[in-house]
């Protein structure tokens, strides 16, 4: 394609690049030197020809621009488009900020999206690795460091089609692997060709994903919590290892603020007194990473003890009897195989070790009096809302931690009534998860062909599967048991819509594995790690180039219960980038499939179908009704098929505004309490467990954990929650734990989800690099011991890797714990030193329990770096491939 005017805007690509470069130069100056910018403006020659898009007299249009990055918000982003170019951006000014309808204001990432779409690092056309050769990969060891050659789409898709066919013909479909949380159209095409080995992930939720349903919580542990308008009714609001200010922007913080104003006491549990905890002046209950099981067992112990001492005023025994099984020997479930129970274990009947606050404190680092405080807080007369995210569960051997989190809440009877909840604060739903107000319509596109290959590799095992040629394939959900040990000979890797080299455990092995196979291809918007290590890279459009996007409603469709946001196209696809669907469609044709059958609908038709099918719970009747009014004129102007309908708001008004918010009123039809139906009538609305109740004793849990085959140290899982020393956890930081002798890697490290990025997305953006330095956070106690001050370059290492990062010294971390933010793009220099702080270089697939990715149980050492100080990330040139035209 040449530099032709294209699409809706009337700007040529050449003039666009010039304009956006000019706009960026101005913005770069605004960032650091306002006085310079003023001077520059004054110096501009009067009457000089201006680019139209920079001329305030030329009118543009506000467009709602999609912002959806697996980030934890669902914010309104609007961009002002003049002549096809985005010149300004704003966020939600559609309502006053109020409890009834808080503003959905964008975070710094959303406000930087302009650089994501229009940045100079956008990949412009397909490219192939210079030393790649068909079917063998050529010089495979050069993956990641090779140069690139620009190729046409035709050639790129010919190569991909040929490599797919050759791999399938020579080695079979099991030789293809989709690593990471892959989605998408391209994998659908490969499925139509016979499929590939897929992957299973514990991802965000760690051990909670497996156990929650077994115990009685729905939705992989997302569970149920009260409508967030209820938080004001709590006496205590517990943030159990969450950090909403960083990891769930959007409206969480708004409702927390309201709760704070109403006098709610905040409590935070975790290793770092993070910004959210600090903002609400929370009481800090210190717990080292991966030690929550010990902490919570001691909380249970203390509750039993105080209840005895205070004659039943702590534990709600009637509640336990009605809604749970297994608290003690009097309430065993019918399927129990072991004559042991939770109460007696906690008291030390079976192992001689009462799980006292002092016992837990030696492991979790929690002062015993804080364990007593927590137990006292949970007593039944207090209104306690506990909210957890999943940081505590992205740890090895925390398989009983979510059980305990639930169990101690149930002991206080904190469920199903105002102010009481044992809930979670999942970023995907920005507060209220269940009981939807909007249900999004279906796109009408046929479901992607199913993957005929039934072998599935557990995420932590993907790189070792490639390197060793064996893996445990998936058995009955959720296990990958040892009897499913299988051979695998991976020859081709597909990287699309995930960043597994950066985000799965053990990035070093990822690099090795990727260099082993015959062919690797990826889709990418910029030069991500996956793109860097591929043979062929296919440039894909960003959200802003898509025809439209509809978000909101429920936890599964992201993110905010009370709002729907419809984004519309900001600009036509840039350069030669194509949508995933377009790429898949063209690939389908290349491999001889019927592309029109696989992808029959236009993007407009799919977007229209989603809009037309969306329903809303009526504020008057509580029944779901069509959301949009659609006319014959709408249908003909869209050029789609459909029927007119009556709804709550017209299609054109909704798309113009880009947002529809439901105003909340106290006691309205949208009010709910977690598990309210079960609490009202547990027989008519049983939990999905063998007993129909919450199971503090769960035979299913014990049986499946023991069958999973990941626990290698001889430990036997019990049906009730017990303590297991975690692999790579606190105890492993000692050479001799009993005598307090530290080992080679004496520091625990966890990975906060960091504001500069959404996982790996945006890591390359200069605005965000300037705003967020991506340091390693170190406790002031540890820093003082090592002579490290704020800003010093620190070397972090363990047996697998070493990285450099600037230190951020803080009093808000427990000594012995460092925090290395999640998601930077791995950047290993010629000496083997990573300069980005890519956290998964340090993690290892030492999975245990159900085989989860134990990201937050990990050990390292660190010191002040003696070499040249690291330059700040924003001074490092953006990662842009050098390409031969
Ligand atoms: N800015 C930003 N926001 C994001 C994302 C992102 O990449 N960037 N990703 C999104 C996604 S997909 C997810 S899953 C969520 C993750 O959201 P979270 O899991 O809530 O985020 P984290 O930052 O990993 O951890 C939150 C807090 O948990 C505490 N913590 C760490 N380990 C432990 C532990 O073992 N026990 C206890 N009790 N506390 C612990 C730490 O103090 C930390 O501040 O964030 C979402 N939001
Ligand atoms: N050590 C450690 N590792 C972690 C975590 C941790 O806390 N510590 N957190 C874990 C968690 S909670 C999660 S959820 C995972 C996330 O892991 P990933 O899902 O692998 O992370 P992302 O960086 O969001 O990767 C998404 C990629 O898809 C691309 N992409 C987005 N939309 C599209 C699209 O429409 N089309 C195409 N073709 N590409 C698209 C993005 O540009 C990006 O490159 O990471 C996990 N990894
Ligand atoms: S929180 Fe997420 S949706 Fe909101 S502006 Fe930031 S990146 Fe966008
Ligand atoms: Mo996640």
């Amino acid at each position: 394609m040449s530099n032709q005017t294209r699409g809706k805007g009337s700007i040529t690509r050449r003039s666009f690049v010039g304009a956006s470069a000019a706009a960026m130069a101005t913005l770069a100056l605004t960032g650091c030197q306002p006085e310079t910018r003023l001077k520059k403006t004054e110096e501009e020659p009067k009457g000089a020809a201006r680019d139209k898009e920079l001329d305030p007299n030329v009118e543009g249009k506000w467009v709602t621009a999609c912002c959806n990055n697996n980030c934890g918000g669902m914010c309104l982003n609007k961009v002002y488009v003049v002549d096809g170019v985005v010149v300004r951006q704003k966020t939600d000014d559609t309502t006053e900020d109020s409890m009834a309808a808080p503003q959905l204001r964008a975070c710094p990432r959303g406000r930087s999206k302009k650089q994501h779409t229009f940045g100079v690092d956008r990949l412009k056309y397909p490219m192939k690795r210079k030393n790649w050769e068909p079917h063998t990969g050529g010089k495979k060891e050069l993956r990641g460091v090779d140069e690139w050659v620009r190729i046409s789409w035709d050639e790129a898709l010919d190569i991909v089609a040929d490599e797919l066919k050759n791999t399938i013909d020579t080695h079979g479909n099991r030789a293809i692997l989709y690593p990471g949380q892959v989605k998408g159209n391209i994998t659908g095409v490969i499925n139509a060709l016979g499929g590939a080995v897929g992957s299973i992930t514990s991802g965000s939720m760690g051990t909670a994903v497996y156990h929650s349903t077994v115990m009685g919580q729905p939705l992989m542990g997302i569970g149920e919590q009260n409508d967030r308008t209820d938080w004001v009714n709590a006496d205590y609001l517990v943030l159990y290892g969450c950090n909403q200010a960083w990891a769930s922007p959007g409206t969480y913080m708004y409702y927390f603020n309201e709760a704070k104003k109403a006098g709610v006491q905040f409590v935070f549990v975790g290793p770092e007194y993070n910004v959210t905890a600090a903002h609400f002046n929370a009481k800090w209950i210190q717990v080292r990473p991966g030690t929550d099981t010990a902490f919570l067992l001691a909380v249970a112990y203390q509750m039993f003890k105080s209840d005895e001492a205070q004659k039943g005023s702590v534990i709600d025994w009637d509640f336990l009897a009605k809604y749970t099984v297994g608290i003690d020997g009097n309430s065993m479930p019918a399927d129990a195989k072991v004559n042991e129970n939770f109460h007696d274990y906690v008291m030390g009947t079976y192992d001689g070790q009462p799980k006292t606050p002092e016992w837990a404190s030696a492991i979790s680092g929690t002062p015993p009096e804080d364990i007593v405080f927590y137990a006292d807080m949970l007593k039944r007369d207090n209104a306690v809302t506990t909210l957890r995210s999943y940081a505590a569960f992205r740890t090895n051997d925390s398989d009983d931690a979510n059980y305990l989190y639930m169990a101690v809440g149930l002991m206080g009877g904190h469920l199903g009534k105002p102010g009481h909840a044992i809930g979670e604060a999942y970023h995907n739903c920005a507060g209220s998860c269940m009981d939807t107000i909007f249900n999004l319509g279906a796109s009408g596109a046929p479901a992607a062909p199913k993957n005929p290959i039934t072998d599935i590799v557990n995420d932590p095992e993907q790189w070792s599967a490639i390197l060793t040629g064996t893996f445990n394939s998936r058995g009955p959900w959720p296990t990958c048991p040892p009897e499913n040990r299988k051979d695998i000979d991976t020859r081709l890797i597909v990287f699309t819509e995930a960043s597994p080299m950066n985000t799965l455990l053990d990035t070093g092995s990822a690099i090795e594995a990727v260099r082993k196979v015959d062919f690797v291809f990826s889709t990418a918007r910029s030069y991500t790690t996956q793109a860097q290590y591929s043979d062929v890279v296919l440039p894909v459009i960003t959200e802003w180039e898509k025809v439209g996007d509809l978000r909101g409603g429920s936890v599964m469709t992201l993110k905010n219960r009370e709002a729907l946001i419809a984004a519309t196209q900001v600009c036509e696809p840039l350069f030669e980038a194509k949508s995933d669907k377009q790429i898949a469609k063209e690939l389908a044709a290349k491999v001889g499939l019927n592309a029109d059958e696989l992808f029959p609908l236009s993007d407009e038709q799919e977007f229209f179908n989603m809009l037309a099918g969306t329903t809303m719970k009526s504020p008057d009747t509580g029944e779901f009704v069509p959301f949009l009014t659609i006319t014959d004129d709408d249908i003909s102007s869209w050029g789609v098929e459909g029927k007119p309908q009556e709804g709550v708001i017209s299609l054109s008004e909704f798309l113009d505004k880009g947002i529809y918010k439901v105003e909340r009123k106290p006691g309205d039809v949208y009010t709910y309490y977690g598990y309210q139906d079960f609490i009202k009538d547990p027989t008519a609305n049983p939990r999905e467990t063998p007993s129909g109740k919450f199971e503090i004793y769960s035979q299913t849990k014990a049986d499946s954990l023991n069958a999973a085959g990941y626990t290698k140290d001889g430990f036997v899982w019990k049906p009730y929650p017990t303590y297991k020393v975690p692999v790579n956890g606190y105890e492993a930081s000692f050479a001799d734990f009993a005598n307090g002798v530290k080992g080679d890697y004496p520091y625990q490290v966890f990975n906060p989800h960091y504001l500069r990025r959404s996982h790996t997305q945006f890591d390359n953006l200069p605005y965000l690099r300037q705003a967020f330095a991506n340091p390693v956070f170190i406790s002031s106690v540890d820093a003082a011991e090592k002579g490290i001050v704020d800003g010093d370059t620190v070397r972090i290492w363990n047996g697998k890797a070493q990285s450099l990062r600037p230190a951020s010294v803080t009093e808000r971390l427990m000594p012995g714990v460092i925090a290395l933010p999640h998601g930077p793009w791995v950047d290993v220099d010629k000496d083997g030193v990573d300069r980005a702080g890519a956290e998964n270089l340090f993690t290892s697939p030492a999975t245990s329990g159900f085989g989860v990715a134990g990201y937050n149980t990990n050990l390292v050492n660190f010191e002040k770096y003696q070499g040249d100080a690291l330059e700040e990330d924003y001074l490092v040139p953006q990662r842009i491939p050098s390409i031969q035209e």
Side-chain angles (χ1 to χ4, degrees), residues 21-83:
M24 266 180 207
T26 322
L27 280 158
L29 286 169
T30 344
C32 48
Q33 288 164 309
E35 60 293 12
T36 322
R37 186 177 66 107
L38 278 178
K39 194 151 165 266
K40 266 230 158 266
T41 316
E42 280 158 18
E43 275 173 4
E44 239 175 76
K46 293 239 161 17
R50 276 167 165 273
D51 286 329
K52 265 194 287 179
E53 59 275 9
L54 299 179
D55 185 339
N57 298 316
V58 176
E59 274 220 13
K61 183 174 188 284
W62 284 108
V63 177
T64 304
C66 182
C67 200
N68 161 44
N69 317 292
N70 192 12
C71 55
M74 187 193 69
C75 316
L76 186 65
N77 262 307
K78 288 209 154 192
V79 294
Y80 194 67
V81 187
V82 179
D83 201 19

Side-chain angles (χ1 to χ4, degrees), residues 316-344:
D316 191 337
W317 291 102
D318 293 342
F319 181 93
L320 287 174
K322 194 165 175 193
Y323 300 110
T324 73
V325 292
I327 188 72
D328 62 14
N330 300 323
S331 61
M332 299 293 277
D335 64 350
K337 295 181 192 162
V338 188
N339 189 19
E340 292 177 6
N341 65 75
F342 179 60
H343 171 270
D344 292 357

Side-chain angles (χ1 to χ4, degrees), residues 203-471:
S204 311
M205 295 150 178
T207 51
V209 74
Y210 296 139
H211 298 146
S212 314
T213 37
V214 172
M215 180 192 205
Q217 293 171 336
L219 278 170
M220 302 175 295
I222 293 169
E224 296 190 19
Q225 53 140 309
N226 294 0
D227 183 354
R228 63 195 150 165
T229 55
D230 175 60
W231 293 342
V232 293
N233 296 320
D235 298 322
Y236 294 93
L237 198 148
V238 178
L239 304 173
Y240 201 100
C242 345
N243 187 8
Q244 278 72 17
W246 275 12
S248 303
T251 50
Y252 265 111
M253 292 298 279
Y254 184 87
Y255 286 97
F256 285 163
N257 263 322
E258 293 298 311
K260 183 78 191 167
K261 277 193 257 169
V264 177
Q265 160 76 61
F266 280 66
V267 175
F268 173 79
V269 183
E272 172 206 22
Y273 195 62
N274 61 37
V275 286
T276 314
H279 181 76
F280 296 109
N281 192 20
K283 177 172 173 63
W284 183 14
I285 309 286
Q286 304 191 16
V287 171
R288 295 191 177 102
T291 66
D292 296 270
T293 309
F295 165 71
L296 289 165
L297 281 169
V299 169
Y301 172 91
Q302 187 60 38
M303 288 179 81
F304 284 130
K305 277 283 175 199
S306 328
D307 190 66
E308 246 173 70
Q310 295 170 35
K311 303 196 174 40
S313 67
V314 174
I315 296 176
D316 191 337
W317 291 102
D318 293 342
F319 181 93
L320 287 174
K322 194 165 175 193
Y323 300 110
T324 73
V325 292
I327 188 72
D328 62 14
N330 300 323
S331 61
M332 299 293 277
D335 64 350
K337 295 181 192 162
V338 188
N339 189 19
E340 292 177 6
N341 65 75
F342 179 60
H343 171 270
D344 292 357
Y345 168 75
V346 168
M347 290 302 152
T349 309
Y350 310 127
D351 59 1
Q353 174 61 66
K355 308 301 172 297
T356 61
E358 290 71 23
W359 165 81
S361 180
I363 300 165
S364 66
T366 320
E369 61 273 20
D370 286 346
I371 299 176
V372 174
F373 165 86
Y374 200 86
D376 197 45
M377 174 194 75
L378 284 173
K379 71 181 174 205
R380 64 182 205 209
D381 287 345
N382 287 335
V384 185
T385 292
T386 60
L387 297 175
R388 59 164 171 77
S389 68
Y390 294 90
F393 310 98
R394 289 194 294 274
T395 54
N396 291 328
D397 291 316
S398 58
D399 299 71
D400 277 337
N402 184 37
Y403 263 71
L404 282 163
Y405 168 83
M406 195 81 196
V408 296
L410 292 168
M411 284 166 76
H414 299 298
L415 214 58
K417 49 193 172 189
H420 299 255
I422 314 164
E424 54 63 59
Y426 189 48
H427 66 283
N428 253 13
C429 51
S432 300
C433 281
M434 307 301 290
D435 198 41
T436 53
I437 296 177
F438 297 101
N439 288 327
L440 302 196
S443 73
K450 279 228 162 63
N451 187 354
I453 301 289
T454 49
D455 277 334
I456 292 187
V457 56
N458 190 13
D459 265 358
E461 281 185 283
Q462 291 189 40
W463 313 128
S464 75
I466 297 173
L467 293 170
T468 64
T470 59
F471 75 114

Side-chain angles (χ1 to χ4, degrees), residues 730-849:
Y730 175 62
E731 290 91 329
S733 71
F734 292 82
D736 178 355
F737 183 59
N739 293 304
V741 181
K742 278 286 187 179
D744 289 342
Y745 306 113
Y747 294 91
Q748 290 189 275
V749 55
F750 77 92
N751 308 131
H753 286 234
Y754 187 54
L755 257 189
R756 172 157 120 192
R757 298 175 286 268
S758 176
H759 307 287
T760 66
Q761 265 204 87
F762 308 127
D763 194 45
N764 215 21
L765 303 194
Y767 296 167
L768 293 166
R769 289 190 157 227
Q770 286 212 351
F772 305 103
N774 196 47
V776 56
F777 297 94
I778 299 174
S779 140
S780 52
V781 175
D782 295 331
E785 262 174 30
K786 297 198 177 262
I788 292 170
V789 298
D790 215 57
D792 278 352
T793 300
V794 168
R795 185 174 80 97
I796 308 148
W797 79 95
N798 67 10
K800 304 182 78 69
Q802 49 180 329
S803 277
L804 301 181
R805 278 291 85 203
S808 175
V809 175
T810 171
E811 301 198 347
R812 305 207 299 213
L813 259 179
M814 291 177 79
V817 180
I818 69 170
L820 188 61
H822 159 59
W825 294 2
V826 57
D827 181 15
V828 181
D829 70 13
K830 60 180 181 357
D831 302 320
V833 181
D834 162 64
R835 304 180 72 82
E839 81 286 14
N840 278 312
L841 282 167
F842 297 105
T843 54
S844 56
T847 42
S848 190

